[in-house]
Amino acid sequence: TPPACTEALCAALAQAPAEPKVALLRILRSVRSAQALAAVRAATADANAEVKAAALAILCSWPTAEALPDVMQLAKAGPDAKTKILAVRGAIRLIPLGREAAANKAAALNEVMGLAERKDEKSLALAALATLPAPEALAAAAAQLANADLKEEASLAAVAVAEQIVAQHPAPVAEAMAQVLK
């Protein structure tokens, strides 16, 4: 999106009434620029509850990893349960998009899994862990094997990670696979 268009959208957002603001926020999500993200961040403090809720939801569904710090903050201390769920889901989606090492991504996903209160989000975090070739991802998946609600997802994640790292880390893989077999 040309910067002039982004500037015009942000200027319109600042002056629009509530209903058009919500529509403009949705458009800004597709712009994907730092300026658009800043406008959405600012809208999360809007006095209008509908605009604020829309901005929070859009921030949680932001398409690039630049929103991850904000989304993680909302996952930890969102204003309500719905926002926290959206933020946890957003963080799970955004963490793999980052440029960090797989070990750091695994640690972040493990942190988000600890913030998740529902099985659905924990299962999503395990699925994301399964894509990371790191011993830390294997350890995070293996840690969930004792959880009766998650043992199947944890087993699948552990096996997927193990397949990726067995040549470099045979001992942790053997230990985790013994846990999976139990």
Side-chain angles (χ1 to χ4, degrees):
T1 305
C5 289
T6 304
E7 289 172 17
L9 288 167
C10 291
L13 179 68
Q15 299 174 355
E19 194 173 315
K21 267 189 182 180
V22 172
L24 287 166
L25 286 167
R26 289 186 190 120
I27 293 168
L28 285 171
R29 182 187 180 279
S30 65
V31 171
R32 297 179 176 211
S33 73
Q35 185 179 9
L37 179 57
V40 171
R41 280 183 185 129
T44 63
D46 198 279
N48 181 291
E50 183 182 346
V51 172
K52 182 177 182 172
L56 288 168
I58 288 166
L59 184 60
C60 291
S61 68
W62 196 257
T64 62
E66 287 77 20
L68 184 57
D70 299 297
V71 174
M72 285 295 290
Q73 183 58 37
L74 287 171
K76 292 174 187 174
D80 54 51
K82 179 182 175 183
T83 301
K84 285 182 182 179
I85 290 168
L86 290 174
V88 166
R89 286 177 168 260
I92 292 166
R93 183 181 46 76
L94 291 173
I95 289 168
L97 300 177
R99 295 181 181 166
E100 295 81 19
N104 294 342
K105 291 177 183 180
L109 284 166
N110 197 36
E111 179 183 0
V112 170
M113 196 172 349
L115 297 171
E117 296 177 5
R118 301 178 338 151
K119 179 185 181 232
D120 291 347
E121 285 74 37
K122 291 180 185 213
S123 295
L124 289 172
L126 284 165
L129 278 169
T131 67
L132 301 176
E136 295 81 0
L138 180 62
Q144 297 300 319
L145 290 169
N147 184 332
D149 291 337
L150 295 171
K151 68 181 175 183
E152 187 172 322
E153 292 91 342
S155 295
L156 291 170
V159 169
V161 174
E163 288 175 342
Q164 298 173 69
I165 66 168
V166 67
Q168 301 89 354
H169 305 281
V173 167
E175 183 180 321
M177 292 306 99
Q179 289 178 323
V180 168
L181 289 173
K182 287 181 186 177

